[in-house]
Amino acid sequence: MRPPVMRLFPLAVFFTLDGTIFATWAVRIPAVKQQLGLTTTALGVALLCLSLGTLLSMIASGNLVVRFGTRVVLLTACALVSAALVLPALAGSVVWLAAVLALFGLFYGALNISLNSAAVEIEAALGRPVMSMLHGLWSVGCLAGSLLGGLLAGRLGTVAHFGLVAGTSLVLTAVCAPAMLRAPEQLPTVPLAEGIAGQAAEPRYGGRRLGLPVVIFGVVALCVAYGEGAVADWSGLHLREGLGAEASLAAYAFAAYNFAIAGGRLIGGWLIGRLGVTGVLAGGGVLAAAGILLTAWTGQISLAFAGLVAVGLGLANIFPVAIARAGALGGPNGVSLAAGIGHTGMLAGPPLIGFLADHAGLPTALSTIAMVSLAVAALAVLGRARTAPVSALRAH
């Protein structure tokens, strides 16, 4: 096995960068739509290409991590994602937009898998859970990116905005690369599944069978990914075109959502310790469903903001728990399988919501997020006895 990631600080920087890049793209989607004169259906197809590229990369990236090591894949993917960020702003047609988004998705999927695999390695090295905290920093990055987007929306064009973020990300990647690549002083003595499941288990890198529990966590991730992706892709457009919010105000709405999801993740360990994992997952699903219905159907911008905050708090800890458990059970390929299953939620989301928005209105389309959020709540309650014990998840 190649040397694992054992240094938390540079990994925290990369999680934050990933969130910033994602939010930078998300808050300027309305501007790109307007620039190219796209219908919501055409935009949905272009976003589908982004999701398809990401999904294909996720499927393959587990093997890349096993072969080349987490650190090499992480640094390479981060540099490529940063460089590719500017490409959507340069697209001159929907065909070119779809093509560059597919390329961006290929790089982004590899970054996603390597980041989460690195988080599993850090948990093994430290003997304590850090996945929720790192995902919280991803959300902090999203918050920073969306706030910056709101600040720059009326001051810089999309090319200049994307170029500024891409350049900064490349510089930070180069600065953190030496610390990430430096060989660890010693390999972790805690098996990968220990500290998460509370029981010793052999590390599962390389060839091994991935069982039903990994698939179940993938289905949970699927439901959450659909909701998170739909909020990122369409909430700004809903506020902008449906509620008449200014471009900067619509960006700040996404910032409010990211503030809530970041806060929820940063206190995720404490919440699960108090309420139990089933309570957090089920309660989070119900809260997210109520929040998105409020956002979709209210006529007031302030209530739409409140609804997005509720969605963020509800969804905050579901995805980190699912991916952490899949990684503990199956290493990088477990992360790859669960994240790949989960990402089909984002794959289905753009065309489905775009189609429903054109034929039934965006509020109706956004209401489908409530359905999948309630599915998470039902799965948390009904599937509790068929997955890992609660004690195995309580640390998250």
Side-chain angles (χ1 to χ4, degrees):
M1 180 179 124
R2 295 178 182 273
V5 174
M6 292 181 63
R7 292 176 175 85
L8 186 58
F9 176 75
L11 183 58
V13 172
F14 286 115
F15 265 92
T16 306
L17 274 180
D18 184 29
T20 302
I21 291 170
F22 178 81
T24 298
W25 155 245
V27 299
R28 297 308 289 261
I29 288 175
V32 173
K33 177 179 182 290
Q34 183 179 19
Q35 174 184 320
L36 297 178
L38 304 179
T39 65
T40 51
T41 298
L43 177 61
V45 171
L47 293 173
L48 171 63
C49 291
L50 171 62
S51 295
L52 182 59
T54 305
L55 175 61
L56 292 175
S57 180
M58 284 180 168
I59 293 172
S61 293
N63 287 328
L64 287 177
V65 169
V66 171
R67 181 174 181 180
F68 297 106
T70 306
R71 300 175 299 165
V72 171
V73 176
L74 192 160
L75 290 171
T76 302
C78 191
L80 291 173
V81 165
S82 301
L85 175 62
V86 74
L87 296 179
L90 298 174
S93 68
V94 65
V95 174
W96 279 108
L97 178 64
V100 299
L101 286 179
L103 181 65
F104 183 84
L106 287 173
F107 301 149
Y108 192 83
L111 179 59
N112 185 289
I113 296 303
S114 58
L115 281 171
N116 283 289
S117 297
V120 172
E121 292 174 2
I122 284 283
E123 287 190 332
L126 299 179
R128 60 184 175 86
V130 295
M131 181 73 82
S132 288
M133 182 271 289
L134 289 170
H135 276 255
L137 291 176
W138 183 90
S139 298
V140 169
C142 273
L143 176 61
S146 54
L147 288 173
L148 181 63
L151 180 65
L152 298 180
R155 296 173 173 83
L156 288 181
T158 52
V159 174
H161 180 190
F162 288 179
L164 175 64
V165 175
T168 303
S169 180
L170 285 170
V171 169
L172 289 174
T173 299
V175 169
C176 293
M180 181 64 71
L181 289 173
R182 193 177 303 128
E185 297 176 0
Q186 61 180 16
L187 295 180
T189 57
V190 182
L192 285 176
E194 190 176 357
I196 302 188
Q199 298 174 349
E202 280 187 35
R204 306 195 190 192
Y205 280 25
R208 73 255 178 267
R209 300 174 63 182
L210 299 175
L212 179 61
V214 174
V215 176
I216 291 175
F217 290 122
V219 173
V220 171
L222 182 154
C223 296
V224 179
Y226 178 91
E228 290 187 4
V231 170
D233 290 343
W234 300 99
S235 62
L237 196 65
H238 172 61
L239 269 77
R240 185 86 171 91
E241 298 184 357
L243 300 181
E246 295 295 329
S248 59
L249 188 58
Y252 288 138
F254 187 56
Y257 160 79
N258 280 303
F259 182 81
I261 206 168
R265 284 174 172 171
L266 291 174
I267 63 169
W270 177 84
L271 277 176
I272 293 174
R274 292 292 299 271
L275 303 177
V277 73
T278 302
V280 169
L281 296 185
V286 172
L287 180 61
I292 197 61
L293 290 175
L294 177 62
T295 297
W297 296 102
T298 185
Q300 300 181 32
I301 294 176
S302 60
L303 291 179
F305 266 65
L308 287 174
V309 170
V311 175
L313 290 173
L315 297 180
N317 290 293
I318 301 173
F319 193 86
V321 167
I323 298 303
R325 285 295 301 132
L329 293 168
N333 283 321
V335 172
S336 181
L337 176 61
I341 294 172
H343 198 73
T344 58
M346 287 190 178
L347 185 66
L352 176 60
I353 289 183
F355 176 83
L356 289 175
D358 272 348
H359 292 82
L362 194 50
T364 299
L366 289 174
S367 297
T368 59
I369 301 173
M371 297 172 58
V372 296
S373 298
L374 292 175
V376 168
L379 188 60
V381 174
L382 299 178
R384 178 177 178 180
R386 295 176 179 239
T387 60
V390 172
S391 60
L393 293 166
R394 192 170 294 279
H396 295 279

